[in-house]
Amino acid sequence: MNRYVAVAIGIDLGTTYSCVGVWQNDQVEIISNDQGNRTMPSCVAFTNGGRLIGEDAKRLIGRRFSDTKLQEDMKLWPFEVIKGSNNIPKILVSYNGENKEFSAEEISSMVLIKLKEAAEKFLGKTVRDAVITVPAYFDDSQRQATKDAGHVAGLNVLQIINEPTSAAIAYGLDMKNDIVRDINVLIFDLGGGTFDVSLVTIDKKGTIAVKAVAGDTHLGGQDFDNTMVDFFVEQFKRKHSIDIGKNKRALSRLRVACEKAKRVLSSIIDTTIDIDSLHDGVDFSMRISRAKFEKLNEDFFSKCIEMVEKCLGDAELHKKQIDEVVLVGGSTRIPKVQQLLKDFFQGKELSKKIHADEAVAYGATVLAAKLIGCSGKKVSNLVLIDVVPLSLGVEVRDGSLSIIVNRNSSIPTKKERNYVTADDYQKVITFNVYQGERTRAVDNNWLGKFEVAVPPAPKGKSQVRVAFDIDANGILNCSGVELTTGLKKGIIITNYKERLSTENIEKMLDDAHKYKLKDEDYKKTIFARNALEGYIDDVKSKIKKIGNTTKRFNNKDLQLMETAIEKASEILKQSRVVDFDEYQKALNQLEKVCLPIIAQHV
Ligand code: ADP
Ligand code: MG
């Protein structure tokens, strides 16, 4: 009998190259594209406007236009980036003689569509479910945005998983029979745009527990290319008295040549770059040695080693306790990088057992297979315990970041902390949520804010317990309980809403072949609806409880609360699900009326 078999794919959405795997016959198949390549450039081509590269989309994704790093990057890009509504950066391209704007999510979704199609062609089946990987160091908004991109591409994103963790799965499977005790594995992933280190423990049953991650979402092969470009621009100036620093086309040709030369320098120690008529008919011809290349990038390379040290420190392990050092990512082919790492680990041989370019997609595919319920020894034993890469907390009165979830906490996790009012008779406490390690809140990534109403009282008297709930994707949900009344408010922080409104997603969905998968948005709306419903029930039961005591309400207050409850209940009675914002608004209004009254009676 022919039975429908669900298929799931694993996607390594790289900054430079992407890779997709499918689960078939109890094993992973990495798919080649039409040209027979098993990794595919993460690029989207727009004719005559030059090509637009997916790698840049990954550096844009989940960022705000005002981000200082983004402003720096923009200077190097061959295309224009403008400020869209709500501070979302948009890429401007001319396409068929028309100017069009794209968000990073849209560009990434185009790459994802390409990979999805390659998988479908290979399998001869429609693909819906996918696991997508992100750099371990991506913050909450970058993860959310990647999920959105998947969603726009018509994919049901089963899970967002960290790239090095995914590589660890591949490594764990490969090693399974050789593992007789818990082993500590350091995954060193240096790609085109990002750098991640991850320390994992693998046990003989197949449990992969991440102990710590460290890295930089902004360090990789492209930076090495750029230092070479800068160097040659200087040399060219010296030799020909010509500054090509403003000639975008020349710079971009030089950058391509430098990237090639860099690869050559990984196998031989000296090379020459020749470019015909680089600027005003002047040819470019210069040589560069491996030693020079290493010198130019020594700061970047030492930063990688520093990150390894930090990761070991966070995991509270000594370098002698590391059993295996595993290399992942194209830039780990650089001999100097390997040598520094080997020296750091006192001469330890580095493991090249897994494929540096395919391991991330490989691991993601195994996880995808597990999540859609495939059986088989390989997948059923897989247990994954990941961590949050960056601390999460709220800003407090003195401007510092009060941490609620520490970095490297295992996920999923839920942590709580109490906060008191800082002003006399203040009516709400506003929580600004940040992610990062800097002491001053504003120096970290702002994720959004939420408010919890409190009964008016002298400062320090009203208290809210804030809970941060992080799911297996590393994505955050918040809630706050006002402690005098015990009323609990479920909240979704609002930055995400500001970045991508439902309308925006809707439009993107239309553009992307009218896919109708709105699961994520729907989930959020349902969360808000449930939060409202829960709050109404809470208030009702409090009123009833207090009504039976000596502290009864006066008629006016009771009337006020009943009207408010009725009003809030109205939108729950509607048969259609209304917008996320409307539920949040109704919840806030109900809270504003009932909380101060109830507080006087407890
Ligand atoms: P990502 O995961 O960020 O897409 P990859 O792991 O695919 O990145 O690595 C791409 C980077 O690796 C590019 O910057 C590329 O120039 C670099 N790279 C690939 N091969 C070599 C090599 N032989 N020597 C040095 N760098 C290399
Ligand atoms: Mg990668």
Side-chain angles (χ1 to χ4, degrees), residues 394-446:
V394 294
E395 182 178 18
V396 287
R397 180 46 68 98
D398 66 3
S400 65
L401 183 69
S402 160
I403 290 173
I404 298 178
V405 177
N406 280 305
R407 73 162 186 272
N408 292 322
S409 302
S410 298
I411 52 173
T413 185
K414 187 178 175 179
K415 292 272 161 60
E416 297 179 327
R417 214 171 153 168
N418 293 356
Y419 294 93
V420 296
T421 45
D423 291 326
D424 285 336
Y425 303 100
Q426 102 186 50
K427 287 190 181 132
V428 289
I429 307 187
T430 302
F431 294 98
N432 272 296
V433 180
Y434 289 90
Q435 185 164 28
E437 307 308 322
R438 305 280 298 274
T439 319
R440 215 163 56 132
V442 292
D443 293 332
N444 298 288
N445 306 321
W446 182 73

Side-chain angles (χ1 to χ4, degrees), residues 14-17 191-193 221-222 259 262-263 266 329-331 333-334:
T15 45
T16 331
Y17 294 99
Q222 291 160 27
E259 199 264 345
K262 174 187 73 176
R263 288 173 188 248
S266 290
S331 298
R333 295 199 178 92
I334 297 172

Side-chain angles (χ1 to χ4, degrees), residues 158-179:
L158 297 166
Q159 194 166 324
I160 295 284
I161 168 184
N162 294 329
E163 284 160 13
T165 311
S166 196
I169 297 177
Y171 180 81
L173 284 188
D174 197 56
M175 286 297 294
K176 200 100 143 260
N177 297 329
D178 307 336
I179 300 178

Side-chain angles (χ1 to χ4, degrees), residues 12-15 17 58 163 189-192 194 328-330 356-357 360:
D12 168 11
L13 182 62
T15 45
Y17 294 99
K58 194 162 171 181
E163 284 160 13
D189 180 354
L190 186 60
T194 58
V328 183
D357 299 321
V360 173

